[in-house]
Amino acid sequence: MQIDIISVVPGLLESPFAHSIMKRANDKGLLQVNVINLRDHTTYSRAQVDDYPFGGGAGMVMMIEPLVNAIESLQAKTTYDEIIFLTPDGKTFDQKMANQLSLQQNLLLICGHYKGIDQRVRDHFITKEISIGDYVLSGGELAAAVLTDAIGRLLPGVLNDETSALSDSFQDNLLAPPVYSRPETFRGWKVPEVLLSGNHKLIDNWRHDQSVLRTQERRPDLLQED
Ligand code: ADE
């Protein structure tokens, strides 16, 4: 899978993909992330990419020309399944969306800044608008990193144990059960007996019950979903 990300602050996206699971995905050739500096695509002086909004008001707007230059130069090399704008007024990202997007080949993510991007880019190029939650970040980069991570870890072969993504919270609309490791007792706090029993059927049942309990307590809304 290839994920291209257009940004005015490409440095913000250096670290998230250079470590751990995302690095492994890249090293194994399963996920290629390319960060494109929007300023390399402007024809305005001093690498300008933003301008005052027509009609006045506070804040700047990301101009149409550099964005379209960047998008079209990328489209000349790659056919994108989705062109996604990260924005707080987009559809809220969830595991289901991550699952669906992980089935695509090529994604282009566009990170907004300032007051947003010229609406004409949204009207004519963007195929999906996604928010990572009801709060406003100073730019779309962290949101793009969240999306890329959530999608990338689902690609076959990225996680060591392929089943481990299936047992994540939110797969099946259930939160994950509690987990324990050594030692069996720490300061008198014991690991639940059933986990030491070696009886996998009992352990699976216990984990499922714990998932349901946790979901009922913390996220009853998930149990209403289809
Ligand atoms: N850009 C700024 N805030 C954002 C959010 N919550 N989700 C996605 N992109 C954003």
Side-chain angles (χ1 to χ4, degrees):
M1 183 179 205
Q2 181 180 323
I3 301 186
D4 294 344
I5 308 176
I6 297 177
S7 164
V8 278
V9 198
L12 272 176
L13 289 161
E14 274 165 21
S15 171
F17 311 118
H19 306 277
S20 182
I21 290 169
M22 290 301 104
K23 179 176 188 306
R24 199 165 69 217
N26 180 59
D27 291 348
K28 284 185 171 178
L30 300 168
L31 173 65
Q32 192 190 339
V33 179
N34 304 307
V35 181
I36 295 96
N37 188 344
L38 182 63
R39 293 186 199 280
D40 292 342
H41 293 272
T42 182
T43 51
Y44 293 88
S45 61
R46 283 176 283 110
Q48 185 185 354
V49 292
D50 61 330
D51 208 346
Y52 295 99
F54 279 126
M60 304 290 270
V61 175
M62 286 170 72
M63 301 156 92
I64 189 166
E65 275 179 76
L67 277 167
V68 170
N69 288 345
I71 294 169
E72 288 185 339
S73 79
L74 292 165
Q75 280 178 321
K77 293 174 281 181
T78 305
T79 304
Y80 293 102
D81 301 298
E82 302 283 0
I83 301 182
I84 299 170
F85 177 44
L86 284 315
T87 174
D89 59 10
K91 185 161 189 258
T92 309
F93 189 56
D94 61 14
Q95 191 63 44
K96 196 165 149 199
M97 284 161 97
N99 292 345
Q100 283 164 355
L101 290 170
S102 74
L103 302 175
Q104 305 293 359
Q105 273 307 306
N106 300 309
L107 300 177
L108 176 57
L109 310 186
I110 299 181
C111 306
H113 267 266
Y114 321 113
K115 280 284 159 200
I117 64 176
D118 191 301
Q119 181 61 37
R120 291 167 291 185
V121 178
R122 298 172 75 158
D123 294 342
H124 298 287
F125 290 90
I126 302 296
T127 60
K128 264 192 196 322
E129 302 196 325
I130 297 181
S131 162
I132 61 160
D134 288 346
Y135 40 80
V136 178
L137 302 165
S138 36
E141 282 75 11
L142 298 181
V146 166
L147 233 75
T148 304
D149 186 296
I151 293 166
R153 63 193 296 287
L154 295 173
L155 301 176
V158 168
L159 295 182
N160 278 338
D161 175 3
E162 277 229 30
T163 60
S164 70
L166 296 176
S167 59
D168 283 345
S169 283
F170 305 113
Q171 301 288 2
D172 301 334
N173 282 347
L174 288 177
L175 299 182
V179 292
Y180 298 86
S181 185
R182 287 188 298 174
E184 279 180 37
T185 305
F186 179 78
R187 295 187 183 165
W189 305 326
K190 288 189 164 49
V191 170
E193 206 63 49
V194 60
L195 296 178
L196 312 173
S197 70
N199 182 331
H200 291 291
K201 181 135 187 46
L202 272 185
I203 293 171
D204 285 350
N205 288 344
W206 180 86
R207 286 189 170 142
H208 184 261
D209 291 349
Q210 291 292 317
S211 279
V212 173
L213 271 177
R214 217 169 232 204
T215 312
Q216 278 165 345
E217 275 168 24
R218 299 177 183 204
R219 293 293 306 277
D221 56 300
L222 293 176
L223 299 170
Q224 316 303 321
E225 286 180 20
D226 50 292

